[in-house]
Every structure is written in C-alpha cells, then in structure tokens.
C-alpha cells in the first residue's frame, strides 16, 4: 500500500531517519531533554541499519520483538513506506538495554524479520534471540488525549551531537490524535531529532510506563543540522495503543520454515532413492518456496553442495531445519549417513546449506561437517567405515534462543564395541561428543547399542535413543538418555535421566526386540501456573513391542510412551499408547509397527499447554487395511490427558483429507513431520509414481474435515518430474 500524507507534513516525512556518523565522545546536551541515567528506558533500542547507512531507535514490546518506524527501512520514505514482510533489505542490528553506549551492558542482536503495518508508519521487528537484559514495555490500552504528557526517548541527534553516546529523553504534550497518529509538542525546548524514529512515547501512571506511540516525524526545531530559523518542536507519533492484539498474535505465532527470508512457509523434501546423473540412489532434495516463489532441486553434483553425487549415497534421507547462523533465513541440515569419505565406506557426513533471500545455498558457502576435519569434537574423531554419521538429526533453539544441532552416528565403534554409537552436539562455540561411556550418561557401552539412532530436542532438553541397548538380559530392549542443553564440567550436555521400560514409573517391561527409543519427538511444555515453557514432553516409539490379547501375542505390534521432563530433569510417564489402550481405535496386529515414527507439535509454545495445543502423530506403517497389506495409517492424539479421549485415525481416502485409497506396501505413517500448523505425511511408495507429500492442517488431523490439504508431487505445480521416492524426509 502506498502511504500519503498532507502536504503540510511533507517536510516531516523522513525527518527522523539518519546516517550514524562516527560516535562522538563529546558530552551530550540533548535537545530532547536529559540523558537517561538509569535503566528506566532500557526497553529503548538503538538500530544500526546497513552497517552505518542509517540509524533509528526502537521499542522492545516482547522478548523477541521491537516496534519501530517503517520509514527506517523504506527505500525512499518521503515518497513511499512500502516495506516487504521478511528479512530487512539491509543488515540491521539492535542494541538493547544499553542506555550508555560506552558500556557493554545489554545485548546486541540482529533484526531478522520485519512485519509492517499498512495503515501507519510502524513495523514489528523480530530479533534473532530473546532479550534477557531488559524488560519489554507494555502497550497502553487507551488513546492519547489532548493535553496529556508523554515521555519520549531516542538515540537521535541532539542540539550539538550527530550521534550521542547516551539515550536521551524529554517531555511532550499531546495536541491531538486521530485513528493512527498523535501530534505532540516538546516542552521546555525538547524536540525529536534525526535518529529518534521508532523510539517510545510512553504514558507514566503511578510510576508505571505504558507505550502509547512511537516517534514518526518532527519539525526538528533546534536539532543539529536543522535550519537555523526552524523553531518548531512539534511532531507526529504513530499510535500503538490499539495494537495490543496484533502484537500479541504476531509474537505468539509458531515459527515456520523459511529458507528465503520472506516469511512465507517453505518445505524441503528428501528423495534419497533418486538417481543423479545416472547414479542410482545418489539422492536429492526438492525445495518448495512458499508464496508461489518456485522450487529447486538440490543434490551433490551442484557446485554449492559439498561432495559429488555417487551411487548409494542417499543424500536427502535425513533432514533438519534451524536458522543456524541467525540471519533470519532457515538453514537446512542434510544427513548423508551412507556417504563414502575418500575410501571409507558409509562413514557419513552432514551438510548445512544456508538460507538466503535467493534461496538455499545461494548465499554463504555451505558448512560440511565431516569427522576428522574442521574444529571441535567432530575434528577429534576420524571417519570410519560404517559410522553412519548423520543417520539421525535434530535441530532447534534453546530457551535462550541459541541454535543447536544434534547429529547421531549410531554405527560408531567405541573401545572395541561395534556399533556402540555416539552423538555430536553443536551450539555456538560449543562442540561436544558424548556416548554411553561419557561421565554421567547412564548405560553400559556395548556392541550394537546404536546410541544416536534417534535424536530429538526441545528448547529445554535433548533426548537420544539407543534402541539396541540390552536391558538386563534382554537384547535390543532399548533405552533413551535425557540431557539438558547446559554443558557440565566435562563439556557435554548435562545428563539428567536414562529411561527404559524397566525404569520405575514406566509401564511395561524391557523385552528382547522391543527397540524402545527407535523413534523420538520432543516439544516444549508450559505447565499451568508457570511463566514460561520450562518443561518438555517426549514421545518414545517402541515399534518392536509384542502385545498380548488374552493368550495371543502379536509380535512387533508396537507402542508409544509419552514422558514429561521437568525443568529440573525429573521424568515421569504421561501415557502408554497402543491399539489395545482403552478408547484407542483399532486392534493390535503382528507387524503393525505402531510407533515406527512419532511426530509431536506444540501449536502454541508460548502459552500454557492444553489438550488442544499439545499434539502427537503416531505412524503405523505395517497396518493392514482390508486386503491391503502394509497400507499403513497415522493415529493422532493429544499429548495431555487419556489417549482414548483424543484418538483420530488417518488413512488414505478417509475424512481427514489424505488423498488416495489404501494399497499394499504404501507404508503410510513411516515418514512424518509435525509443524505448528500442519501434519505432513510422506507417501513415497505410491500411489503417485515418484511419491508425494500431503500437509494436513491440524484441524483435520485431529478429527475435523474440510480444511485445505496441501499436496506436493513431482510433475505438479512446477516441481520437476524427477526422482523415485519423494517424501522419505520432510522438513
């Protein structure tokens, strides 16, 4: 939308955006009042846009969000305030909680996303991490009234400084207001100057400040660089008191995969069985960009993807996503566990392809994580045959917003034990590896443990499955290790629990072939009464579980155990789920493989968890439907409450919206991904010749009908008609 303003305000249009010249060390005599001497206005941010191209101010209204002026980011704010949603065009950093810029107080964070208003000079700006050193200011709920006093703050020019080193404040009187703006006049010579755009205008009542507006335009009377005969200290502020619901809704939205930084949801789909340049099962990944921005195919014969396509690499079989470099674009981690490293067969490696405005891999060079190279824990171990590094991946952000990456190498031989397995943990400068002989990790290292065959994480905890673990005398009974992100004195994530089916409080018993921990999924959980999501809920798949009905046993019928992990690390069982659980649809049958895949979602991670927001999908790929052997199904549940109270059944062609009809060997449920908005089901084995994926809105997946199901399939909607088993990995 093109913004227009009355001619009489033309001189004010871009008045408050300035280029930050070298910071001055001269004591300030700010026009807009006095330098802030304490943390009262610590929620005010200084914005550096384009490494010194522009400077503005901003206002912290949520731990991860600032409000500021759209004019700070517009190409020509005097003519048009159109700014696209997504990453800023110019690199933008925000200094918050540092009212004196000569100190190191507060935090310096990157602005990674803009969400502009189209009705006023205002934009929400998302930060790369939550602010922990300053308290956001609450939005006012009533409009500014003529005659009331507002306190205004900013880092802009003063009477005699281009770039003051201290935040300055002043008192302003409201002249009038309309639906989106308020006109104000500075008291005692105070004025809003260049660089103050986006700074707060607050109402102080009984010592409590609430945000009424942010600085937009000003006559700049008395500001350094203004006309000598300009004496007017009035200006225009953008009202925000009516936007509380808008800000809250944006802050509460679940984050989407966004490889090209445009705020539209993207999807990456692996086809590890695809041929590349005639090389069988070299593997590829197809990326679909949201907002109809096209697609591309990634493989190891591209110049910006490390390695080279080789037969049987199966590139794209394992995927994870996170904004690893914190630039606002989601990055894609690709595990290639069958990669031959030089002459070392199936050693495996992991490639991180960075997102950019031009798409995956088209910005900074890829990061290739290969044992024996680079730095940190990964460099300390050599690539060895059969390591299968990258056979499992998990990625996310910690509670403080720091990105992390978990890499399983379940085939790693340790201390003479074949396939004992280990996990690599990467977070910032931290690089660690741990296994079942690491200090504090409960378990006995032995051959065939496959520690790291499954990994999962939440902002609070991480979990590692070792489905080959012997429990007592039961081989392949399985075990799961639970750890915190905080590194302990040994330099590894802090272990807090080890869980198997013989653990006190966990139902059933460890039995040979159960393979407890074959699949894992973990989400943050905010308990009732808690101020934040301090806990986690972990779903553990046990697809080898034998179930009994009377005197009849059903081998590999499978089940799922859900566990709550408190912030302190205490683990307790929430439920044990299988097709014999009270109220759960279906009957257990041999080979069902209930729990072969689990996918959990918290659709409202900032809110108290409820039965309607904490959700679980369970894959049952071996389920026969009629005469269709191994057609497969997906069952969904709430992670909270009795499983039978929320059980829903998804098969091809039923009311949930999954297309097609059940057919033999489709294995529906083997390939799943859960996001905050959709349950994605991969169908690489048909009915589409080269596979397909289907995104069911959670409203459908949890029993509703009618919501639009999203389908991606090679040969449709611009996707290249290539590949063999599209949908074996989805992120």
């Amino acid at each position: 939308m093109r913004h227009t303003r009355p001619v009489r305000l033309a001189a004010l249009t871009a008045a408050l955006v300035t280029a930050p010249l070298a910071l001055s060390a001269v004591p300030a005599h700010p026009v807009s009042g006095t330098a802030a001497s304490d943390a009262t206005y610590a929620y005010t941010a200084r914005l550096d846009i384009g490494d010194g191209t522009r400077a503005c101010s901003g206002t912290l209204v949520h731990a991860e969000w600032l409000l500021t002026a759209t004019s700070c980011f517009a190409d020509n704010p005097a003519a048009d305030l159109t700014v696209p949603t997504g990453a800023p065009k110019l690199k933008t950093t925000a200094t918050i909680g540092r009212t004196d810029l000569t100190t190191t107080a507060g935090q310096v964070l990157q602005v990674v996303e803009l969400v502009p208003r189209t009705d006023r000079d205002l934009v929400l700006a998302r930060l790369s991490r939550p602010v922990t050193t300053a308290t956001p200011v609450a939005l006012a709920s009533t409009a500014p009234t003529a005659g009331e006093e507002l306190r205004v703050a900013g880092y802009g020019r003063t009477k005699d400084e281009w770039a003051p080193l201290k935040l300055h404040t002043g008192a302003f009187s409201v002249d009038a207001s309309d639906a989106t703006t308020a006109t104000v006049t500075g008291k005692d010579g105070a004025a809003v100057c260049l660089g103050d755009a986006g700074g707060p205008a607050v109402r102080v009542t009984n010592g409590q400040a609430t945000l009424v507006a942010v600085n937009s335009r000003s006559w700049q009377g008395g500001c350094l660089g203004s006309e000598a005969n300009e004496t007017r200290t009035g200006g225009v502020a953008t009202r925000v008191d009516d936007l509380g619901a808008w800000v809250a809704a944006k802050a509460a939205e679940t984050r989407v995969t966004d490889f090209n930084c445009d705020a539209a949801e993207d999807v990456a789909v692996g086809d590890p069985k695809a041929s590349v340049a005639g090389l069988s099962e070299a593997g590829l990944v197809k990326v679909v960009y949201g907002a109809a921005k096209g697609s591309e195919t990634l493989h190891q014969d591209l110049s910006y993807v490390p390695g080279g396509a080789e037969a049987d690499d199966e590139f794209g079989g394992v995927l994870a996503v996170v904004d690893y470099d914190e630039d606002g674009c989601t990055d894609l981690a690709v595990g290639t566990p069958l990669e031959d490293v030089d002459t070392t067969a199936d050693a495996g490696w992991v490639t991180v392809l960075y997102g950019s405005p031009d798409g995956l891999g088209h910005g900074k060079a890829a990061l290739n994580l290969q044992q024996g190279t680079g730095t940190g824990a990964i460099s300390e171990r050599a690539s060895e045959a059969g390591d299968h590094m990258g056979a499992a991946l998990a990625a996310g952000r910690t509670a403080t917003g720091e990105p992390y990456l978990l890499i399983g190498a379940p085939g790693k031989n340790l201390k003479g034990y074949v396939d004992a397995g280990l996990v690599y943990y990467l977070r910032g400068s931290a690089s660690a590896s741990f296994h079942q002989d690491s200090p504090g990790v409960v378990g006995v290292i032995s051959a065939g443990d496959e520690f790291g065959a499954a990994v999962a994480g939440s902002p609070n905890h991480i979990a590692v499955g070792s489905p080959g673990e012997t429990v007592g005398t039961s081989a392949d009974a399985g075990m799961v290790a639970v750890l915190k992100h905080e590194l302990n004195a040994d330099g590894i994530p802090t272990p807090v629990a080890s869980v198997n089916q013989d653990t006190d409080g966990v139902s059933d018993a460890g039995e040979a072939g159960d393979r407890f921990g074959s699949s894992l999924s973990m989400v943050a959980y905010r308990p009732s009464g808690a101020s934040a999501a301090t806990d986690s809920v972990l779903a553990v798949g046990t697809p080898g579980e034998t179930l009994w009905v009377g005197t009849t046993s059903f081998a590999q019928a499978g089940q799922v155990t859900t566990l709550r992990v408190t912030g302190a690390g205490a683990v307790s069982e929430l439920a044990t789920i299988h097709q014999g659980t009270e109220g759960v649809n279906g009957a257990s049958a041999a080979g069902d493989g209930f729990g072969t895949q689990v996918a959990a979602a918290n659709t409202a991670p900032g809110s108290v968890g409820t039965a309607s927001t904490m959700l679980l999908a369970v894959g049952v790929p071996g389920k026969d439907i009629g005469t269709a052997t191994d057609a497969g199904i997906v069952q969904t549940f709430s992670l909270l409450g009795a499983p039978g109270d929320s059980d829903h059944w998804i098969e091809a062609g039923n009311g949930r919206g999954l297309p097609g009809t059940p057919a033999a060997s489709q294995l529906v449920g083997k390939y799943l991904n859960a996001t905050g908005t959709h349950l994605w089901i991969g169908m690489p084995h048909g009915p589409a010749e080269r596979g397909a994926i289907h995104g069911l809105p959670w409203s459908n997946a949890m029993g509703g009908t009618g919501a639009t199901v999203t389908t991606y399939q090679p040969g449709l909607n611009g996707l290249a008609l290539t590949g063999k088993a599209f949908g074996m990995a989805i992120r």
Side-chain angles (χ1 to χ4, degrees):
M1 173 183 287
R2 185 180 181 86
H3 294 249
T4 59
R5 299 191 177 90
V7 173
R8 65 184 182 85
L9 292 180
L12 286 72
T13 302
L16 305 183
V17 182
T18 186
L21 304 181
L23 293 177
S24 168
V26 178
H29 302 286
V31 168
S32 53
T34 58
S37 58
D38 56 27
T40 302
Y41 298 92
Y43 47 75
T44 309
R46 181 182 185 273
L47 301 181
D48 180 348
I49 302 169
D51 290 326
T53 302
R54 294 180 176 184
C56 279
S57 300
T59 308
L60 187 71
V61 293
H62 178 274
E64 291 187 82
W65 292 90
L66 303 170
L67 278 174
T68 187
T70 313
S71 50
C72 295
F73 302 95
D75 290 339
N76 181 6
D80 192 349
L81 290 185
T82 299
V83 170
T85 298
K89 183 176 180 180
L90 300 176
K91 179 182 177 181
T92 301
T93 55
T95 302
I96 307 144
R98 188 180 298 175
T99 57
D100 183 345
L101 297 176
T102 65
T103 72
T104 58
Q107 292 169 264
V108 180
L109 300 170
Q110 190 166 337
V111 172
V112 295
E113 181 184 356
L114 301 177
V115 183
R117 294 284 301 190
T118 58
D119 61 343
R120 62 193 81 183
D121 182 16
L122 189 73
V123 65
L124 260 175
R126 181 167 64 86
L127 301 168
S128 58
R129 295 189 189 179
V131 173
T132 58
T133 56
T135 302
V137 63
L139 268 65
S141 58
T142 57
T145 59
E148 79 166 303
E149 181 179 286
L150 302 178
R151 298 292 303 185
V152 173
Y155 287 94
R157 294 180 187 176
T158 64
K159 182 178 181 179
D160 48 17
E161 288 183 292
W162 287 99
L165 289 171
K166 291 187 177 181
L167 177 72
H168 47 274
T169 68
F172 285 72
S173 177
V174 175
D175 301 322
S177 65
D178 59 24
T180 59
T181 64
T183 53
V184 296
T185 299
K187 293 184 174 183
D188 301 321
V192 177
C193 301
L194 288 170
D196 287 331
V202 300
R203 175 187 292 135
V204 181
T205 305
N206 297 324
Q208 295 296 313
T210 54
L211 185 67
V212 176
V214 299
N215 302 326
S216 176
R217 310 183 298 281
S218 169
W219 293 111
Q220 301 181 71
C223 298
L224 183 63
S226 63
E227 296 292 335
N229 61 353
E230 180 56 78
T231 60
R232 289 171 291 185
T233 61
V236 176
T238 300
R239 280 181 54 189
V240 301
D241 58 276
D242 59 329
L243 298 180
W246 176 69
V247 171
K250 290 296 180 184
E253 282 183 354
T254 54
R255 207 66 46 79
V256 300
T257 297
D258 179 17
F259 299 123
N260 59 349
C261 324
D262 64 353
E265 188 168 10
D266 306 325
V267 179
V269 185
D271 184 346
K273 300 297 184 180
S275 296
V276 175
L279 299 167
S280 176
E281 299 189 6
L284 55 79
V285 176
K286 292 183 187 291
V287 181
V288 181
Y289 295 106
K293 292 188 177 177
S295 61
E296 65 177 317
T297 300
L298 306 173
H299 52 74
Q300 290 183 298
D301 264 2
L302 296 173
S303 61
Y304 51 88
V305 179
E310 299 168 313
D312 302 318
D313 275 352
E314 296 196 8
F315 177 85
V318 187
L319 304 175
V321 292
V322 66
D323 182 5
Y324 197 59
D325 61 354
E326 299 183 89
D327 67 348
C329 305
T330 305
D331 306 315
L332 177 68
V334 183
T336 313
L338 300 183
E339 179 76 32
D340 296 346
V341 177
D342 297 324
T343 59
T344 305
D346 299 340
W349 68 28
V350 174
T351 301
V352 179
L353 295 167
Y354 291 103
S356 75
D358 295 320
L360 275 170
H362 299 295
K364 64 193 296 186
L367 171 66
N368 208 50
L369 300 169
Q370 174 187 329
Q371 295 177 106
T373 65
T375 60
I378 292 176
S379 70
E380 296 166 3
R381 296 184 182 273
S383 291
E384 297 171 314
D387 280 349
H388 295 163
M389 179 186 175
L393 294 176
R397 299 200 304 164
T398 67
T400 59
E402 190 171 16
Y404 67 87
L405 180 62
L406 279 170
I407 303 171
K412 193 72 176 176
N413 301 338
L414 297 171
K415 300 187 176 183
Y417 296 103
V418 176
D419 295 343
L422 64 73
V423 170
Y424 293 105
Y425 176 80
L426 305 178
R427 174 173 57 82
S429 61
S431 175
S433 67
F434 59 96
H435 47 77
Q436 287 189 299
D437 207 34
S438 296
V441 178
V442 178
V444 178
I445 190 169
S446 56
D449 283 346
E450 298 178 72
F451 186 82
V455 293
S458 79
N460 307 307
H461 303 94
I462 60 179
V464 179
S466 48
E469 180 76 21
T470 296
V471 177
T473 59
S474 300
D476 297 332
M479 180 180 288
V480 175
V482 181
L483 309 93
K484 290 184 178 180
H485 288 284
E486 292 81 7
L487 301 186
N488 63 13
D490 297 298
I492 66 170
T494 304
V496 297
S498 183
V499 183
N500 60 59
Q501 289 182 297
D502 278 355
T503 300
D504 289 344
V506 176
S507 299
D508 219 308
E511 299 162 319
D514 280 349
R515 297 189 64 80
F516 179 85
S518 290
S519 60
L520 300 173
S521 188
M522 180 182 269
V523 292
Y525 171 49
R526 178 180 169 185
S528 178
S531 60
T534 54
D535 295 6
S536 302
V537 174
L538 171 65
V540 182
T542 313
E545 183 75 34
T546 296
L547 296 175
W548 290 77
V549 178
T551 59
T552 304
S553 65
F554 298 97
Q556 298 181 2
Q559 71 179 17
V560 170
T561 303
T562 55
L563 304 167
R564 175 182 172 184
V565 187
T566 68
V571 179
S572 59
E573 181 177 285
L574 295 173
T576 294
I577 312 169
H578 54 75
Q579 290 187 327
T581 303
E582 183 178 357
V584 173
N585 291 317
S588 295
D592 276 353
F594 186 95
T596 296
Q597 187 62 266
V598 289
N602 183 343
T603 62
S607 302
V608 170
T610 68
S612 62
T613 62
M614 302 285 293
L615 307 176
L616 172 67
V618 177
V620 195
K623 174 63 70 176
D624 300 342
I625 301 177
T627 59
T629 304
D630 296 341
I633 65 162
V634 177
Q635 283 185 270
T636 59
F637 307 89
S638 172
L639 284 167
L640 305 178
D645 293 343
S646 58
D647 173 28
H648 302 283
W649 179 290
I650 302 170
E651 66 178 62
N654 78 352
R656 304 290 76 80
L658 186 67
T661 56
S665 302
Q666 284 184 346
L667 301 178
V668 170
K670 189 173 181 179
Y671 313 99
L672 302 175
N673 184 47
T675 71
T677 58
H678 288 78
L679 170 62
W680 289 93
I681 301 175
M683 297 183 68
H685 307 302
E689 180 183 2
R690 300 174 190 269
I693 66 168
H694 308 284
L696 278 62
W698 277 112
S699 59
N700 277 22
M702 294 302 294
T705 59
T708 301
V709 174
T710 302
T711 293
Y712 296 120
Q713 177 181 323
L716 296 181
N717 301 321
L719 273 178
L721 186 61
T722 56
K724 182 178 180 181
F726 176 87
M728 294 185 78
I730 311 165
R731 286 296 182 270

